[in-house]
């Protein structure tokens, strides 16, 4: 009979397991006792069983005790792995199996000594425990490399247990004693010695990953709470500011020159604060609500003409000229979210008009069409002071101000970048101090129809018109509505007057009186949205634009 040196195998396994046991015990506190503590206890018991197998205590009588501790340790490890993946402990299955294994092992060791029967008993129940571990990792673990490695090692261990148990029914393959030579016995010892520490290492890596995810989740939660606070505060600040603005406008009508100077100073401060509040509200919405794109057939020429209409109003505030340079071959209709595109372009045009004085702002649009798709190239450039990009500041980050005197929260470009990214593009900038800025991006969109595009001649000449209030820049651009046939100029003028004076109740009553006329229109949608934000200046602009359209 060939005798194998089983002590060497188990001694190496015990040594490696001891090395793994130290960091495993230290990881219990950060990862959590409920998460990995039970498994760590089972690993400690298994490691102790390996020391018994290696006969470190120089007492052959304690060698066989290793079987009892091994079964107990693997059972506790199984419960630990179930807990690690947030699953039920399966007490009703694992505890009876553990008791049965211990009782039968004791019977075949002390009462009716028979090593092959004792080996069958331990192997059978260990196979059950390892299979539960394997199933738990495969069923509830992630698809990470660590989990795949863990499931593969447990699968191999279960396969070895299964083969070992099957061969115990073949007489010439059954070892007569623990030290007797057997290929299956050697394979089992080798696989077990490798899998035990490997399982612990994989769980520690997974635990560290989960711990990192927990920290990230907590940081996101804190960030969300801060953003919600910003949204609530900005919403509450807007109502009194809008009311003050309305009363200031009323006082301006009857004020003398000296009073007018003071009131205009108050109005400028209010406008500045309202602008900051608006940007904070938009930021909180973008952060708290995912950007949902709604691609629909969009009339591209009409959309760009409307954007240019607002660009003229924006440029007139700083005595800038506005240039619109469309590519003659632009498609007539495309499949895209036109509202999001309007939001981005108006944001860029608003910035350009804000920082440029007595200069020029240009919107250029070109396209390339192929195989039913069109790549649209947008660029907004100005002749303003420019940006020093060599300072390494991320101008697309939240709360990054382009200029020190920008009178803004620095959220506009952050929001624009988020939208462009969701639409499949990238917003880029070219600038240097004293040479203006050029923001550009391109989008690939399906083409619904093609034709001969003729831009509105008003927007292709550098001549500013429409001296709208400054808050027109904060209002969403409008698409054609169907209300001009139902509402007359007098009704729209009445709404504009209520908005100018911040008369919230009168605006709500006006909406109730004209509910049928504005029902199911985009005008009603925008009006409700602006009223929710107490944006009386935006409502005033909305009424003026619709009044102007009704007269055309």
């Amino acid at each position: 009979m060939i005798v194998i040196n089983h002590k060497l195998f188990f001694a190496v396994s015990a040594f490696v397991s001891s090395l793994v046991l130290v960091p495993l015990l230290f990881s219990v506190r950060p990862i959590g006792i409920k998460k990995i503590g039970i498994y760590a206890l089972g690993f400690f018991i298994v490691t102790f069983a390996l020391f018994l197998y290696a006969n470190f205590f120089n007492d052959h009588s304690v060698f066989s005790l290793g079987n009892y501790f091994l079964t107990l340790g693997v059972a506790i490890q199984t419960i630990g792995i179930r807990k690690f993946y947030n699953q039920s402990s399966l007490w009703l299955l694992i505890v009876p199996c553990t008791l049965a294994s211990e009782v039968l092992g004791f019977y075949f060791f002390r009462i009716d000594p028979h090593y092959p029967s004792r080996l069958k008993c331990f192997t059978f129940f260990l196979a059950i425990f390892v299979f539960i571990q394997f199933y738990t990792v495969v069923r509830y673990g992630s698809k990470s490399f660590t989990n795949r490695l863990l499931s593969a090692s447990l699968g191999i261990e279960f396969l070895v247990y299964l083969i070992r148990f099957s061969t115990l029914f073949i007489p010439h393959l059954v070892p007569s004693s623990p030290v007797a030579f057997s290929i299956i016995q050697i394979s089992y010892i080798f696989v077990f010695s490798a899998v035990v520490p490997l399982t612990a290492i994989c769980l520690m890596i997974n635990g560290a990953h989960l711990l990192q995810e927990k920290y990230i989740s907590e940081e996101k939660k804190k960030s969300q709470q801060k953003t919600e606070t910003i949204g609530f505060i900005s919403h509450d600040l807007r109502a009194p500011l809008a009311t003050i603005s309305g009363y200031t406008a009323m006082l301006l009508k009857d004020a003398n020159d000296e009073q007018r100077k003071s009131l205009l100073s108050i109005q400028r401060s209010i406008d500045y604060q309202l602008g900051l509040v608006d940007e904070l509200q938009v930021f909180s919405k973008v952060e708290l609500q995912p950007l949902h794109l709604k691609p629909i057939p969009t009339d591209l020429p009409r959309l760009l003409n409307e954007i240019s209409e607002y660009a003229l109003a924006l440029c007139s505030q700083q005595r800038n000229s506005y240039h619109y340079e469309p590519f003659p071959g632009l498609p007539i209709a495309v499949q895209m979210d036109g509202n999001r595109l309007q939001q981005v372009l108006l944001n860029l045009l608003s910035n350009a008009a804000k920082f440029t004085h007595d200069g020029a702002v240009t919107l250029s649009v070109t396209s390339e069409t192929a195989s039913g798709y069109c790549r649209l190239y947008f660029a907004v450039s100005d002749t303003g002071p420019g940006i020093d990009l060599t300072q390494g500041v991320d101008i697309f980050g939240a709360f990054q101000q382009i200029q020190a005197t920008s009178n803004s929260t620095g959220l506009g470009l952050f929001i624009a970048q988020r939208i462009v990214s969701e639409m499949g593009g990238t917003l880029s900038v070219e600038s240097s101090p004293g040479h203006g800025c050029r923001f550009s991006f391109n989008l690939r969109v399906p083409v619904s129809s093609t034709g001969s595009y003729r831009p509105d001649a008003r927007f292709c000449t550098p001549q500013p018109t429409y001296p709208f209030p400054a808050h027109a820049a904060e209002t969403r651009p409008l698409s054609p509505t169907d209300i001009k046939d139902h509402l007359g100029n007098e009704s729209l003028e009445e709404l504009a007057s209520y908005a100018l004076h911040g008369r919230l109740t009168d605006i709500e009553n006006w909406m109730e009186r004209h509910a049928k006329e504005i029902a199911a229109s985009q005008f009603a949608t925008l009006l409700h949205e602006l009223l929710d934000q107490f944006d009386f200046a935006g409502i005033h602009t909305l009424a003026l634009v619709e009044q102007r359209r009704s007269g055309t």
Side-chain angles (χ1 to χ4, degrees):
M1 181 183 69
I2 302 177
V3 179
I4 63 172
N5 189 359
H6 65 280
K7 292 184 179 180
L8 179 61
F9 283 97
F10 286 120
V12 173
S13 180
F15 176 74
V16 175
S17 297
S18 300
L19 295 179
V20 176
L21 180 62
V22 175
L24 179 62
L25 293 177
F26 279 105
S27 68
V28 171
R29 185 172 182 180
I31 297 177
I33 295 178
K34 293 183 179 180
K35 197 73 174 174
I36 202 173
I38 296 178
Y39 177 84
L41 175 61
F43 187 86
F44 174 81
I45 296 174
V46 169
T47 303
F48 180 70
L50 293 175
F51 277 100
L52 294 178
Y53 279 139
N55 203 12
F56 274 88
F57 302 99
N58 295 319
D59 186 354
H60 185 72
S61 62
V62 303
F63 175 86
S64 297
L65 293 177
N67 288 336
Y68 303 107
F69 283 102
L70 178 64
T71 306
L72 177 63
V74 174
I76 295 176
Q77 282 183 322
T78 305
I79 297 174
I81 288 179
R82 296 285 298 179
K83 285 291 186 180
F84 184 87
Y85 289 98
N86 300 315
Q87 302 303 313
S88 61
S89 302
L90 298 180
W91 292 99
L92 296 178
L93 173 62
I94 295 176
V95 172
C97 287
T98 305
L99 293 176
S101 175
E102 303 292 8
V103 171
L104 291 175
F106 179 79
Y107 177 81
F108 290 116
F109 179 60
R110 294 294 184 184
I111 299 176
D112 184 13
H114 188 250
Y115 178 72
S117 298
R118 181 155 53 98
L119 198 58
K120 289 178 184 178
C121 170
F122 286 121
T123 304
F124 175 75
F125 288 107
L126 287 175
I128 292 177
F129 296 148
V130 173
F131 176 77
I132 295 175
Q133 296 178 20
F134 170 74
Y135 174 80
T136 302
V137 175
V138 173
R139 177 67 176 83
Y140 304 107
S142 65
K143 303 301 181 181
S144 65
F145 171 77
T146 307
N147 269 321
R148 291 180 185 274
L149 179 61
L150 178 57
S151 59
S153 62
L154 290 174
I156 294 173
E157 184 180 12
F158 171 72
L159 184 62
V160 170
Y161 274 122
L162 193 62
I163 295 174
R164 184 192 190 196
F165 181 75
S166 302
T167 56
L168 292 176
F169 292 92
I170 303 175
H172 66 277
L173 293 180
V174 178
S176 58
S177 68
V179 297
F181 176 80
S182 170
I183 297 296
I184 302 301
Q185 189 83 334
I186 293 177
S187 301
Y188 157 71
I189 296 174
F190 178 78
V191 171
F192 180 81
S193 301
V195 169
V196 169
L198 180 61
T199 303
I201 292 173
C202 290
L203 284 183
M204 281 191 291
I205 294 175
N206 284 339
H209 180 68
L210 292 175
L211 189 63
Q212 184 180 14
E213 288 185 343
K214 179 182 177 181
Y215 289 148
I216 293 175
S217 176
E218 289 177 350
E219 289 299 320
K220 285 183 177 179
K221 185 177 180 180
K222 291 179 182 178
S223 177
Q224 181 175 354
Q225 290 174 345
K226 292 177 182 178
T227 306
E228 288 175 350
T229 303
I230 291 174
F232 295 148
I233 292 176
S234 60
H235 187 274
D236 293 339
L237 285 176
R238 210 183 201 293
L241 287 173
T243 303
I244 296 171
S245 178
Y247 280 112
T248 303
M250 292 176 61
L251 293 173
L252 279 170
K253 289 185 176 181
D254 302 322
N256 55 38
D257 292 341
E258 185 177 353
Q259 292 172 334
R260 178 176 293 275
K261 183 177 180 180
S262 300
L263 290 171
L264 287 175
S265 178
I266 295 174
Q267 188 65 53
R268 282 194 298 271
S269 298
I270 293 172
D271 291 342
Y272 166 62
Q273 293 296 331
L274 285 174
L276 296 180
V277 170
D278 288 341
E279 289 192 7
L280 288 173
Q281 280 188 319
V282 174
F283 170 74
S284 62
K285 285 185 177 181
V286 170
E287 285 293 288
L288 294 176
Q289 302 174 1
L291 292 174
H292 295 295
L293 300 179
K294 298 179 180 178
I296 58 174
T298 302
D299 188 334
L300 186 61
R302 188 187 298 272
L303 176 65
L304 294 175
N305 285 341
E306 289 174 356
I307 293 173
S308 294
E309 184 175 322
Y310 276 90
L312 285 172
L314 293 173
C315 290
S316 68
Q317 305 303 314
Q318 305 286 357
R319 300 177 302 280
N320 295 311
S321 61
Y322 172 67
H323 302 257
Y324 175 37
E325 301 176 352
F327 180 65
L330 289 178
I332 298 299
V334 295
Q335 193 82 8
M336 68 183 307
D337 191 331
N339 288 334
R340 292 299 187 186
L341 178 62
Q342 289 173 338
Q343 189 175 354
V344 171
L345 289 178
L346 273 187
N347 200 311
L348 298 177
L349 290 166
S350 175
N351 276 340
K354 182 191 301 181
F355 298 121
T356 305
H357 301 268
D358 300 304
V361 176
T362 303
L363 168 63
S364 61
V365 186
T366 59
S367 67
E368 295 177 358
T369 305
S371 302
Y373 282 85
C374 175
R375 186 166 292 278
L376 300 172
Y377 297 86
F378 301 92
V380 175
S381 55
D382 61 66
T383 58
I387 307 171
D388 186 2
L389 300 177
T390 61
Q391 295 181 355
V393 178
D394 179 16
I395 64 173
F396 297 114
F399 301 105
Q400 293 288 346
Q401 292 187 348
I402 299 177
Q403 304 288 347
T405 59
S406 62
N407 293 341
S408 70
T409 57
L411 295 171
L413 290 177
F414 166 76
I415 295 169
Q417 174 71 301
R418 282 282 304 272
I419 296 174
V420 171
S421 178
E422 289 292 328
M423 298 179 75
T426 302
L427 184 60
S428 59
V429 59
E430 302 172 17
S431 181
S432 60
H435 295 84
C437 298
R438 183 178 186 273
F439 289 88
S440 60
F441 62 94
N442 66 81
L443 303 173
R444 185 175 183 267
V445 296
V447 177
S448 301
S449 64
T450 57
S452 178
Y453 171 51
R454 294 183 179 180
D456 194 321
R458 292 176 299 161
F459 310 132
C460 298
T461 56
Q463 181 179 350
T465 57
Y466 317 140
F468 287 148
H471 280 290
E474 308 294 337
T475 308
R476 284 178 58 184
L478 307 175
S479 297
T481 62
D482 54 357
I483 67 167
K484 63 182 181 181
D485 296 331
H486 304 284
L487 289 176
N489 285 336
E490 294 181 359
S491 298
L492 292 170
E493 186 176 352
E494 181 185 17
L495 176 61
S497 176
Y498 292 154
L500 181 63
H501 298 99
R503 294 162 64 176
L504 176 62
T505 304
D506 289 333
I507 294 175
E508 291 176 340
N509 292 334
W510 185 95
M511 293 173 65
E512 290 180 3
R513 292 199 310 271
H514 299 283
K516 293 183 179 180
E517 290 90 338
I518 66 176
S521 67
Q522 188 179 6
F523 176 85
T525 302
L526 292 173
L527 185 56
H528 280 289
E529 183 177 319
L530 293 170
L531 191 61
D532 288 341
Q533 300 177 8
F534 301 104
D535 190 354
F536 296 116
I539 296 173
H540 179 262
T541 303
L542 176 66
L544 290 180
V545 171
E546 288 297 333
Q547 186 179 13
R548 177 178 170 274
R549 285 178 177 156
S550 298
T552 58

